[in-house]
Amino acid sequence: MSPLVPTAGPPGPPAASQPPFPRGFLWGAATSAYQIEGSPLADGAGASIWHRFAHSPGLVRGGETGDVACDHYRRFAEDVALMSRLGLNAYRFSISWSRVLPTGRGTVNERGLDFYRRLVDTLLAHGIRPLVTLFHWDLPAALDDRGGWLNPDLADWFAGYAETLFRALDDRVGMWTTLNEPWVVADGGYLHGVLAPGHRNLFEAPIASHQMLRAHAAAVAAYRAVGRHAIGLVVNLEPKHPATDRPEDLAAAVRADAYMNRQYLDPVFLGAYPAELREIFGAAWPDFPAAELEQIRQPIDFLGINYYTRGVTRHDPERPPLCAATVRQLRSAYTETGWEVYPRGLADVLLWVKSRYGGLPLYVTENGAAFYDPPTAEAGIDDPLRVGYLRRHLLAAADALAAGVDLRGYFAWSLLDNFEWSLGFDKRFGLVHVDYGTLARTPKASARFYSEVIASSGANLGRRTAAGGAPLEAPQDGLLDAVALQGDG
Ligand code: BGC
């Protein structure tokens, strides 16, 4: 097996005296191109839909854009040195499609590709493994002009772009992922219009999802022809718990789970969409060709899971098409983005994926929280809420590992404070503070805490179970149980 691919194998539960995470575990942080790079049109790059969206008045808070962002495009070497000082052995970043192919297809812009060659070489020189995301939402604007994710040709164009990257970098990159969070693109970009490309159309959302899955599969097929290492997909998962035991709330939670979680994983692993999607979308749910579903069901080498929160769900007929609403929990803490802090859910989703889709290697490819930090950092940044969030989620990850999940790595979201999409720079998720006036980077207390987690393989996390009880054995107290039990029957 290639030295670029983690060779730890299924880690198995560590003995009580050992630290909770095994040797060979990947400890990383994650970012995405448009959120940190800046210089979006430099060196011959084409515009992306996020460049266009952010420059359209009124769509991003405060009119903020990714024109400068963290200036990572010019400061990447400084940022890699910072990762090295923090002790990271892995880094997840995304490639801007329109830097490499300014119109999305056709002639390669070598200067754009060179940026990623230099970034990868710098990471490797510091002993940091790259995990490359091919698509983190910044579709080339020229392809949006051709219909974006509604156009069935996009699958082939995406595979062509992916193949360009595989040929350029697979000798140095051991881990690739195709799409980041297709649900967010379809829901935010095509159904509710709050993310690029800003459409609000019930009929478009299922088509966009399906074309993304076809593109994912086409890129995996291209990788099998030219790549030598590992490729996977990244989804964001949330346990959906019914707000009460009333049948309509239980049904709403099942629908929410089908819509957000199973809509993407069932086709990839089981070759079929969940039946609930027809109920949710009604006449807007098309009959997708069986041959396309067969193509979507391509074996992948690992799955990346982004986990932030759960959704306690109630029936709400005023909110079509899902007819469900998330209920605020009086006894829970919430982050600055209004997401409930629910660490146990991380263990639950990891265990659920294993039980429903089988025991493939899993990575937590994003986990983190926005909490208030001041705009400048002269006195350092003490962020105990973020430390607490990370600590409790890492304990939940350790629980899942101890319960037999083949968890191979964890990536904190995010390395740096960055452009939080339509919320602009207001919400700070970084382990490292960015002063947007000077672009100075200041590691927060959470970065120091995470360094200690890495150095001790989690021994500094304290007690071994997030719930304070026995290690978990199966998804508990929630809909994931019900869904797992219902299975495909
Ligand atoms: C996305 C990131 C985003 C983060 C926090 C994830 O959905 O992949 O790009 O910044 O969540 O909202």
Side-chain angles (χ1 to χ4, degrees):
M1 175 171 284
S2 156
L4 295 173
V5 180
T7 50
S17 57
Q18 287 175 347
F21 294 94
R23 287 162 72 88
F25 196 77
L26 290 192
W27 292 105
T31 63
S32 89
Y34 191 75
Q35 293 183 272
I36 65 164
E37 286 179 356
S39 307
L41 303 180
D43 299 330
S48 75
I49 56 170
W50 266 98
H51 180 73
R52 192 182 262 176
F53 190 83
H55 280 272
S56 305
L59 297 184
V60 172
R61 179 196 162 276
E64 289 168 336
T65 73
D67 287 1
V68 177
C70 304
D71 198 26
H72 175 76
Y73 189 70
R74 298 189 308 162
R75 295 169 193 245
F76 74 91
E78 177 193 335
D79 290 336
V80 173
L82 181 55
M83 293 175 215
S84 174
R85 283 200 297 281
L86 293 178
L88 306 190
N89 62 16
Y91 174 53
R92 172 175 180 248
F93 64 94
S94 78
I95 292 193
S96 161
W97 185 343
S98 54
R99 275 198 203 288
V100 177
L101 295 169
T103 59
R105 60 208 184 109
T107 310
V108 172
N109 175 33
E110 288 294 335
R111 287 184 296 166
L113 189 50
D114 272 345
F115 168 68
Y116 297 107
R117 288 193 181 104
R118 288 196 304 273
L119 174 59
V120 165
D121 287 345
T122 309
L123 289 165
L124 294 176
H126 285 81
I128 298 171
R129 281 180 176 156
L131 195 179
V132 175
T133 305
L134 291 166
F135 175 72
H136 198 127
W137 307 358
D138 49 354
L139 190 74
L143 295 186
D144 197 50
D145 294 340
R146 293 172 172 268
W149 287 114
L150 304 174
N151 184 341
D153 291 337
L154 220 70
D156 283 344
W157 296 339
F158 181 68
Y161 153 67
E163 191 178 327
T164 301
L165 269 302
F166 300 151
R167 290 191 187 281
L169 292 174
D170 193 55
D171 60 339
R172 283 159 284 170
V173 168
M175 300 178 72
W176 299 87
T177 63
T178 54
L179 313 174
N180 177 71
E181 300 187 352
W183 177 78
V184 175
V185 175
D187 182 78
Y190 287 86
L191 183 59
H192 295 298
V194 295
L195 300 173
H199 298 192
R200 289 165 205 258
N201 189 318
L202 183 66
F203 283 77
E204 290 184 359
I207 296 169
S209 292
H210 185 72
Q211 298 309 339
M212 280 188 277
L213 287 174
R214 287 187 59 237
H216 154 79
V220 172
Y223 192 71
R224 299 298 174 219
V226 301
R228 291 186 301 123
H229 307 298
I231 190 160
L233 169 71
V234 172
V235 291
N236 54 319
L237 299 179
E238 284 183 12
K240 298 294 184 184
H241 295 169
T244 71
D245 56 10
R246 293 186 318 176
E248 59 267 40
D249 289 340
L250 181 61
V254 171
R255 283 196 305 276
D257 176 67
Y259 177 55
M260 184 167 181
N261 302 323
R262 287 179 283 132
Q263 178 169 194
Y264 302 92
L265 295 182
D266 275 14
V268 168
F269 291 107
L270 308 177
Y273 283 107
E276 294 88 348
L277 294 174
R278 188 173 293 283
E279 179 194 346
I280 294 164
F281 285 102
W285 184 259
D287 280 324
F288 293 113
E292 292 184 359
L293 278 157
E294 205 39 57
Q295 282 160 2
I296 288 169
R297 186 190 202 173
Q298 293 262 343
I300 54 176
D301 302 313
F302 64 92
L303 182 70
I305 295 169
N306 296 350
Y307 177 78
Y308 289 92
T309 189
R310 70 165 169 174
V312 177
T313 306
R314 71 173 167 83
H315 180 64
D316 184 352
E318 303 299 313
R319 290 172 184 260
L322 198 54
C323 297
T326 301
V327 181
R328 199 171 167 90
Q329 300 302 292
L330 293 176
R331 284 185 289 176
S332 291
Y334 280 78
T335 71
E336 280 269 302
T337 46
W339 299 342
E340 183 188 359
V341 178
Y342 189 72
R344 166 65 168 280
L346 175 56
D348 287 349
V349 295
L350 292 167
L351 285 154
W352 173 73
V353 165
K354 178 179 156 82
S355 71
R356 185 172 177 84
Y357 302 112
L360 81 167
L362 303 181
Y363 293 85
V364 175
T365 35
E366 288 181 29
N367 176 237
F371 290 112
Y372 175 79
D373 301 309
T376 57
E378 288 88 9
I381 298 286
D382 200 14
D383 57 342
L385 295 178
R386 191 172 290 101
V387 170
Y389 182 100
L390 293 174
R391 179 176 174 279
R392 294 176 64 204
H393 285 79
L394 284 161
L395 283 167
D399 284 348
L401 197 52
V405 170
D406 185 3
L407 181 66
R408 306 269 181 108
Y410 174 94
F411 293 77
W413 184 270
S414 180
L415 177 70
L416 303 169
D417 290 336
N418 62 45
F419 179 80
E420 179 53 26
W421 306 112
S422 43
L423 301 177
F425 294 98
D426 187 43
K427 305 298 179 209
R428 293 177 177 270
F429 277 87
L431 299 171
V432 175
H433 180 273
V434 176
D435 180 325
Y436 294 114
T438 63
L439 293 169
R441 277 79 161 130
T442 307
K444 303 177 190 177
S446 55
R448 290 192 292 280
F449 166 77
Y450 189 47
S451 292
E452 287 159 17
V453 173
I454 297 170
S456 68
S457 295
N460 70 328
L461 291 168
R463 68 190 159 75
R464 280 274 298 280
T465 67
L472 306 183
E473 280 163 9
Q476 294 183 13
D477 75 9
L479 184 69
L480 290 173
D481 269 334
V483 169
L485 290 175
Q486 284 165 6
D488 305 312

